[in-house]
Amino acid sequence: MLLRWGDSGFLPAGEPGELRAADSWLVADGRVRAFDAHERRFGWACGELGGISREQTREFMLAAMARVPSRGRWFPRAELIGVAGAARLQLRIRPAPAQGHSVRLWLWPSPDARANPVVKGPDLGWLASVRRAAVDAGADEAVLLSGRGHILEGSATSILWWSGDTLCAPPEAGRVLPSVTRDLLLDAADAAGVTVSLRDASPTELAGLEVWAVNALHGIRPVTAWIGTGITAGPAHRALRWQVYLDELSREVRPGPAEAVR
């Protein structure tokens, strides 16, 4: 279902236009993990790319939650589009795909061609084609590399790994999408006294280590294979415990009466 947002609330059917920004989050029986973080990320993009105020975006996002069914698994997507030079908001209400519990990675062999890595939306078409190439190669997800051969992120995931007792991730530095799920895990690890390290690493440096591909839809998926490489995936000793932690963060989002009726 595609709905467009206007002064009177949501109306059926959006409009074709240029996708400027997007954000998706998992809703499971009315419960969401870190909804405010998704709202802030989308709100920042709408302000930067569409001149839409944070108050307007917040109202839209709360109204969006009021339109998502309270039963079942859903994966709504908020969109900022450009139509005839004007910025507009719309909502796609989509059933959530089945949750994955592991992932096989494949290395994208070409340079990262994204126009704006720090904004979700404009490069989704290219990223979808990259992921299709990974599936054709027998994997589930493609990994993008920097010009120096260091891991950036997956086509739809952030990559984290354990080096001993240290939880590692690539530095953002304007090269990767600010991930809500990645931030939740890194912040939780730091709060628990776990050493966190933002460092560059090549895929071969992750051989034998516990590696995670994480996002809002699946949470944590431990890497079980590196397709087309000589890299051996390490055992996933920690993934289940940390996934339980993520699941416990889910909360009901209750829009106020004004938002619920729009």
Side-chain angles (χ1 to χ4, degrees):
M1 179 188 300
L2 179 60
L3 304 171
R4 59 187 174 93
W5 175 253
D7 293 338
S8 58
F10 283 113
L11 296 172
E15 301 179 74
E18 173 198 9
L19 183 61
R20 298 182 181 179
D23 215 295
S24 303
W25 60 98
L26 177 66
V27 183
D29 291 331
R31 299 173 69 85
V32 184
R33 184 168 56 237
F35 177 77
D36 285 348
H38 285 281
E39 183 272 318
R40 287 192 299 271
R41 184 173 69 175
F42 186 61
W44 174 84
C46 288
E48 291 291 314
L49 302 175
I52 297 176
S53 71
R54 291 297 300 275
E55 291 76 14
Q56 289 174 295
T57 307
R58 177 71 176 172
E59 182 184 15
F60 165 79
M61 290 288 280
L62 287 172
M65 274 302 302
R67 297 301 295 261
V68 177
S70 60
R71 292 290 179 266
R73 283 170 50 86
W74 301 89
F75 197 50
R77 188 168 87 179
E79 298 179 350
L80 171 71
I81 62 170
V83 179
R88 300 184 182 177
L89 296 171
Q90 59 185 28
L91 172 69
R92 293 182 189 272
I93 300 178
R94 311 171 296 179
Q99 183 174 0
H101 300 288
S102 64
V103 67
R104 299 163 297 174
L105 298 183
W106 174 76
L107 303 180
W108 174 246
S110 301
D112 181 3
R114 289 174 297 173
N116 193 346
V118 302
V119 176
K120 183 175 181 178
D123 297 301
L124 284 177
W126 181 78
L127 289 168
S129 69
V130 169
R131 185 177 180 276
R132 286 194 296 270
V135 172
D136 290 343
D140 306 297
E141 171 78 338
V143 175
L144 305 176
L145 303 178
S146 71
R148 302 185 65 180
H150 295 140
I151 289 174
L152 295 175
E153 59 188 325
S155 52
T157 56
S158 293
I159 306 299
L160 284 72
W161 66 94
W162 288 88
S163 178
D165 293 326
T166 299
L167 181 58
C168 307
E172 288 187 348
R175 305 178 304 169
V176 302
L177 179 72
S179 163
V180 171
T181 307
R182 163 186 153 131
D183 288 349
L184 286 174
L185 290 166
L186 295 179
D187 290 348
D190 183 64
V194 174
T195 301
V196 171
S197 176
L198 302 183
R199 64 175 75 164
D200 286 319
S202 66
T204 55
E205 292 178 80
L206 274 54
L209 301 184
E210 180 170 356
V211 181
W212 298 344
V214 309
N215 63 14
L217 175 60
H218 299 290
I220 297 169
R221 285 182 294 171
V223 175
T224 56
W226 294 81
I227 301 298
T229 73
I231 302 171
T232 301
H237 296 305
R238 301 176 175 89
L240 180 59
R241 176 167 60 91
W242 285 87
Q243 181 62 50
V244 169
Y245 163 77
L246 283 181
D247 292 341
E248 291 173 347
L249 294 179
S250 295
R251 300 286 186 272
E252 289 188 20
V253 176
R254 296 182 179 276
E259 293 93 359
V261 299
R262 284 177 63 87

